[in-house]
Amino acid sequence: WTEPIILLLIIANTIVLTIQAAPDIALDADGNATPSTIRGFFHGWEDYVLFSLFIVFTYVLQFEDVL
């Protein structure tokens, strides 16, 4: 069961990273096309999902022998 779980986690990781990397096409209130840069982590839902995925990756890979 470990390999299918890891495959699903990799697919979920790919989907979240693709969504996170997609450019924002909306303009700000001033009409500028350049988005403002955000420094740091945990400013969007994608960061929380990726953090959770890596926690699960660590758990699955650490206890692979038990599963």
Side-chain angles (χ1 to χ4, degrees):
W1 288 98
T2 304
E3 290 178 10
I5 291 172
I6 292 175
L7 178 64
L8 291 175
L9 291 174
I10 291 171
I11 292 171
N13 190 23
T14 305
I15 291 170
V16 172
L17 286 175
T18 303
I19 292 170
Q20 191 177 33
D24 188 12
I25 59 172
L27 299 176
D28 61 1
D30 297 333
N32 296 329
T34 56
S36 61
T37 57
I38 299 174
R39 299 183 69 103
F41 301 102
F42 300 109
H43 292 287
W45 64 270
E46 298 97 345
D47 295 330
Y48 292 100
V49 172
L50 290 173
F51 183 64
S52 302
L53 279 172
F54 283 109
I55 289 173
V56 173
F57 270 127
T58 304
Y59 177 78
V60 169
L61 292 176
Q62 182 179 6
F63 297 107
E64 185 176 7
D65 298 333
V66 177
L67 296 175

